[in-house]
Amino acid sequence: MIRKLRCCKQELERKNYELESNLGLKNGGTKIRVNVDYPTSGVDSMREVLKCLKDLGSSTRSIQAEFSDQKLKAVLDIETQMGAGAVEKDVQRALQKVEDKLLFRHHQEG
């Protein structure tokens, strides 16, 4: 009986570890990708990404980004309670909002 309980405990711990790893709660974290073609302001866009992650309760472990007039491209390693897909979707939505706002402001000034 005790042997069977120990086996069940080990199996549950293994499954729990797998679930935590999938959510980015263990060492590897979760990587999300950000791409914006022809960004109005790459810095403002990246600032919005970081604000969005903060609002989601995610912490950023590392950022690798490339900025140019043609593209903002970044890979962020984050710790989050959410799945990577859900975080990416929220980040993309926030990026679209900030780009729309910046474009509107740019057209008003021009």
Side-chain angles (χ1 to χ4, degrees):
M1 179 70 165
I2 292 176
R3 178 177 279 156
K4 186 176 180 181
L5 288 174
R6 283 187 183 147
C7 287
C8 288
K9 179 183 175 191
Q10 288 174 341
E11 180 65 19
L12 287 172
E13 287 174 344
R14 184 186 62 77
K15 286 182 180 180
N16 190 47
Y17 180 81
E18 288 176 7
L19 289 171
E20 287 178 346
S21 294
N22 289 339
L23 290 174
L25 300 175
K26 291 292 178 191
N27 295 344
T30 299
K31 292 192 189 283
I32 62 167
R33 291 173 183 4
V34 173
N35 291 299
V36 179
D37 292 328
Y38 301 100
T40 307
S41 170
V43 173
D44 286 337
S45 295
M46 184 54 75
R47 187 174 54 199
E48 192 65 27
V49 167
L50 295 173
K51 181 178 179 255
C52 179
L53 290 172
K54 182 180 177 186
D55 291 347
L56 293 172
S58 301
S59 58
T60 306
R61 295 167 39 133
S62 69
I63 302 170
Q64 293 178 325
E66 295 176 31
F67 294 87
S68 74
D69 291 340
Q70 291 82 29
K71 191 164 199 79
L72 161 61
K73 190 167 139 179
V75 177
L76 295 94
D77 185 7
I78 63 172
E79 292 180 2
T80 182
Q81 299 292 323
M82 299 171 63
V87 172
E88 280 186 357
K89 191 180 286 187
D90 285 349
V91 166
Q92 289 298 335
R93 202 173 305 131
L95 279 170
Q96 188 60 50
K97 263 172 112 172
V98 75
E99 280 296 311
D100 290 347
K101 186 170 133 183
L102 290 170
L103 281 172
F104 181 73
R105 190 180 308 154
H106 179 71
H107 286 294
Q108 279 187 327
E109 293 171 357

